[in-house]
Every structure is written in structure tokens, then in C-alpha cells.
Amino acid sequence: MQSGTLEKLRQYDTATICNVIELFEARPRNRGFMRQRVKAAFPELPPMVGFASTATCRSFTQPPERQLPIVPDLISRWGELDGPAVVVLQNLDTNGAAAIFGDVLCNSFAAFGAVGLVTDGQGRDLAGIAPLDFPVFCDGIVCAHGYMHLLTLHEAVQVGGIVVQPKTLLHGDANGVTTIPTQIAADVADACAEYAQAEAVVIEAAQTGTASLADLRAAYAEMAERIAKLNARLRRN
């Protein structure tokens, strides 16, 4: 995938990305995005865009007595990706919680070019991670890392209510995390500006402070017309 496409995608928030994906009608509107348990730990950061490097792990259960993969083993797989890595960790523990990530993991991942981390588990050390400007998405904070260990690498994982395959294109910010089908990624990036302009018709009318209900109805009608035209064009593609 061209770096220009990724850069365009970074210019828009995840909510806009989801809006535009819907217009392609490539998947149901209630599929492809992570549920609210997976939240941005640093919602002030700009959007994260990258490709999933997946692993399963546990932190509350003691590790099995066999050789297990470690962080450098996961990093060594990033050459398989089509761009920067987003580490996606599925927590297999259901009987308790300890931290899946902290400042050691995030510094390690960031040093080798990762652009974010997503997990359905918990994290810690936010004060040590914050200076990295490294987006992390998780299900809360806990002080201890317990028995944190990796189990499998670059297999399908289930995080935030969806299945994430290795190499899946992800976009995330304060709104949450979504997948982007790679076959439409470039067109999604190109269509975001037009979608934002359509929404701006209503937003600008509302912000004048003088709009009547008739003005607002007209603005909504114009927005709907613009989005319908964009939908028709993207659906044909």
C-alpha cells in the first residue's frame, strides 16, 4: 500500500473513516469496528494507522512449562506487513486481570517503528508511555503485570468483539478502533474530504447562531443529497 494512502487516512478521525466505509456497502454497518471496551488511553493523540501484528497472551495465569515467544520474536514478524505495525494483543484470561503492557513493551515496540498497540486487556505505566506519543487502546489500567507472557504470534485474534487477522489495516483515535478493508483503503482516503464537506454544511449552519429551522432543514437536505451522490459513486466502484 502506498504511504500516501496511509498519510491521507491519518488526516481524518476514525468516526469519519467509518462513515465513508459505510458508503461502499462492502460490509454491514454494524461490523468491522471494536466495541466500547477498547478505549484510547491517550485520546488527545492524532489518529493511528497501521497494520495488525497479532498475538495472544495471558497475564493472570501462570505460563506453561514450554518455550514461549518473546517480544523480539513478534517484532521480527513485522517484515511481513505492508506498512507500520499496530500490535494487537488478545488477552485469553477470563478469571482475572493483570497488565498486558507497560512502558517496557511500548518503548520496545515504538523503537522498531510500531505506531500503536491495541488490546482487550489492561495496561499500566501510562506516565512512562505518554512521552512516546504512542497510541494505546485497552480495557483499563491495573498496577501489576502478573504473569504476562505471549502465546501465539501472527494468528487470527478476537479483540473488541471482532476478529483481527494479521496484516489487517487499522485506524484508531479517541473515538475507538476500526478495520479498513484494504481493497477500498485508497478510495476511502480520497473520499473523506468530500464527506467532511457534506457534514460541514449542517455544522456551519448550526454554528451561525442565526439559523432558523427552515435553514437547518435546508442544510440537512443538502448534506443528505451530497452524501447520497457520494454513496452512489463509491458503491459502483
Side-chain angles (χ1 to χ4, degrees):
M1 183 172 296
Q2 295 183 357
S3 60
T5 295
L6 301 183
E7 188 55 42
K8 281 184 180 179
L9 291 170
R10 289 189 194 98
Q11 295 173 17
Y12 299 95
D13 61 35
T14 306
T16 298
I17 298 295
C18 289
N19 287 342
V20 173
I21 290 173
E22 291 172 358
L23 300 185
F24 287 83
E25 300 181 12
R27 67 188 185 198
R29 291 191 174 199
N30 59 354
R31 297 288 187 272
F33 58 90
M34 294 185 183
R35 307 304 184 260
Q36 66 269 22
R37 280 185 55 194
V38 178
K39 302 180 182 69
F42 303 106
E44 70 280 4
L45 290 179
M48 168 196 77
V49 183
F51 296 87
S53 174
T54 60
T56 58
C57 59
R58 292 184 185 274
S59 60
F60 202 74
T61 303
Q62 294 189 42
E65 294 183 357
R66 59 181 172 84
Q67 186 173 359
L68 296 172
I70 59 175
V71 167
D73 297 324
L74 182 59
I75 294 173
S76 73
R77 304 292 297 270
W78 293 355
E80 303 169 14
L81 305 177
D82 294 326
V86 172
V87 178
V88 182
L89 302 177
Q90 179 184 356
N91 177 24
L92 297 180
D93 280 326
T94 58
N95 60 335
I100 297 295
F101 68 87
D103 53 3
V104 172
L105 252 66
C106 289
N107 270 279
S108 300
F109 292 143
F112 284 85
V115 294
L117 181 150
V118 180
T119 181
D120 55 355
Q122 290 73 39
R124 66 175 188 171
D125 298 327
L126 294 189
I129 298 169
L132 299 174
D133 289 336
F134 185 76
V136 294
F137 300 81
C138 61
D139 187 26
I141 306 301
V142 64
C143 58
H145 61 44
Y147 298 102
M148 169 57 186
H149 55 281
L150 299 175
L151 289 167
T152 63
L153 305 181
H154 273 219
E155 297 180 1
V157 296
Q158 186 162 331
V159 173
I162 63 172
V163 174
V164 179
Q165 299 284 349
K167 306 180 184 181
T168 297
L169 180 58
L170 298 173
H171 192 289
D173 67 4
N175 297 289
V177 179
T178 190
T179 62
I180 303 175
T182 53
Q183 66 270 25
I184 62 171
D187 291 329
V188 169
D190 289 339
C192 282
E194 189 171 346
Y195 193 99
Q197 290 165 4
E199 288 191 326
V201 172
V202 171
I203 294 171
E204 291 172 3
Q207 290 180 346
T208 62
T210 59
S212 65
L213 279 178
D215 294 332
L216 194 61
R217 290 183 193 279
Y220 267 91
E222 181 179 345
M223 179 183 71
E225 182 180 1
R226 291 189 182 199
I227 292 175
K229 289 180 179 178
L230 182 59
N231 179 205
R233 190 171 76 246
L234 297 178
R235 189 175 63 240
R236 286 197 301 271
N237 293 339

